[in-house]
Amino acid sequence: MKPKAVITGLAGQDGSYLAEFLLEKGYEVHGLVRRDALESPEDKLWRLQPFLSDLILHASSLDNPGGISSILAKVKPRECYHLAAHSFVNYSFEDDFAVMAANLNTTLFVLAAVREVVPECRFYFAGSSEMFGNAPVSPQNESTPFNPRTPYGISKLAGFHVTKTYRDAHRLFACTGILFNHESPRRGLEYVTRKISHAAARISLGRQSQLRLGNLDALRDWGHSADYVRAMWLMLQQDRPDDYVVASGVAHTVREFAETAFREVGLDWKKFVCVDPQLYRSPETRPLTGDSSKSRTKLGWAPSVSFEELVSIMVQADLKEINRRSAACSNGIHGFARD
Ligand code: GDP
């Protein structure tokens, strides 16, 4: 019989790559998605389109514990990946109560349901480098003290502790992956990486003239989402549950990202990028760079996509998509929305 996995947050960037990865591994993949996503799949499920028919979707809101329990009872998964969260860091200051309450409550609901209904199920919680916040040391690893600086980071740290408590007190096989920034063509346009790749593609095609960015000196440790979901799966294949940092270990500035993206389309970034102080964030935390030695040693994990390759993949995907859409429009066909 096929192993079964349930993914919350299936329609997001990581959910889509994880689903694809698990399907390739022969899993029966179930996903929890909001009802409105099922009603407009071309809008809300665009990341899943190429393999949507291979997935089993369940309409469920994560703030309904009864609904989560009944899906788990019906599916009886071997693995449960809890990825759903309010995830755009910058917004979390604007609506801190909603972000913290939703992220913590849903993690609690899913863990409690796993414990009650399928206690043998292996559970993955999507932690984040934002849990380190203004870290006292760099690079950060599993022993670095947490010092979150955003409601999002606080909510992820709370989820981490809840996950650890279920592991220690209730003997669940529960792991947290502390993932540093991971990007892809399936990123939303609100993130700086996709904002840049999309703009570089559009500018090279003469559809945009300028790109406004915030802090060009901001540093991030960026990897490719497809590499990072592999680490999630590896965590759940170990003999014992544990927590792991997953990161490339190399930080690059937003400026370097822009420079590399514009170079990909043969343009000089300086001619098109302008700094908009309104896009600066406050407070910008100390640069986060991950030390993923534990993942590399214990899980045998290593990223396969370099920074330059990531930027190139994203820009080329945006170019292809913009051209595909133009061709579809001129033929009167409407494709799936991608942002
Ligand atoms: P985050 O790491 O989850 O906050 O990912 P983002 O892609 O939103 O931001 C990464 C870094 O890029 C942050 O330090 C931002 O301050 C910086 N940045 C600079 N310009 C922009 C911009 O125009 N949009 C966004 N989202 N971030 C920007």
Side-chain angles (χ1 to χ4, degrees), residues 138-168:
S138 189
Q140 297 84 37
N141 64 22
E142 296 79 4
S143 316
T144 306
F146 295 117
N147 190 17
R149 279 290 196 265
T150 57
Y152 174 77
I154 296 168
S155 74
K156 285 289 174 179
L157 184 54
F160 164 81
H161 283 302
V162 174
T163 302
K164 192 166 174 339
T165 304
Y166 270 71
R167 177 167 77 219
D168 296 342

Side-chain angles (χ1 to χ4, degrees), residues 88-89 130 181 190-193 195 212-215 218 220 222 254 279 281 284:
F88 186 53
V89 172
E130 285 289 313
N181 290 51
E190 66 276 29
Y191 289 85
V192 77
T193 50
K195 181 174 172 182
R212 303 180 87 78
L213 291 175
N215 185 4
R220 284 291 184 275
W222 281 297
V254 169
L279 294 172
R281 283 200 198 157
E284 191 76 67

Side-chain angles (χ1 to χ4, degrees), residues 157-314:
L157 184 54
F160 164 81
H161 283 302
V162 174
T163 302
K164 192 166 174 339
T165 304
Y166 270 71
R167 177 167 77 219
D168 296 342
H170 304 311
R171 303 266 163 244
L172 242 57
F173 192 110
C175 307
T176 295
I178 306 170
L179 270 51
F180 281 62
N181 290 51
H182 45 288
E183 316 295 311
S184 75
R186 299 183 195 168
R187 247 314 183 207
L189 285 169
E190 66 276 29
Y191 289 85
V192 77
T193 50
R194 179 82 200 292
K195 181 174 172 182
I196 295 171
S197 68
H198 189 246
R202 281 174 55 84
I203 289 171
S204 75
L205 296 170
R207 291 162 178 247
Q208 186 174 327
S209 55
Q210 202 185 44
L211 168 62
R212 303 180 87 78
L213 291 175
N215 185 4
L216 297 179
D217 295 318
L219 277 162
R220 284 291 184 275
D221 177 337
W222 281 297
H224 194 299
S225 171
D227 275 336
Y228 288 42
V229 299
R230 194 158 33 82
M232 297 177 187
W233 177 78
L234 283 168
M235 286 176 214
L236 298 197
Q237 312 313 309
Q238 304 305 304
D239 292 338
R240 303 158 86 86
D242 206 347
D243 307 314
Y244 297 87
V245 162
V246 181
S248 82
V250 187
H252 292 273
T253 59
V254 169
R255 178 183 292 100
E256 282 174 274
F257 199 104
E259 197 175 346
T260 313
F262 279 85
R263 198 185 313 126
E264 181 71 23
V265 288
L267 297 174
D268 176 2
W269 72 284
K270 289 198 214 92
K271 295 190 177 140
F272 304 97
V273 173
C274 65
V275 172
D276 180 348
Q278 302 231 31
L279 294 172
Y280 268 64
R281 283 200 198 157
S282 151
E284 191 76 67
T285 57
R286 195 166 300 176
L288 293 171
T289 312
D291 165 11
S292 57
S293 317
K294 182 174 165 185
S295 291
R296 290 170 195 248
T297 319
K298 295 208 165 162
L299 304 178
W301 177 84
S304 67
V305 179
S306 70
F307 171 76
E308 286 73 20
E309 285 165 344
L310 170 69
V311 180
S312 164
I313 289 168
M314 291 180 70

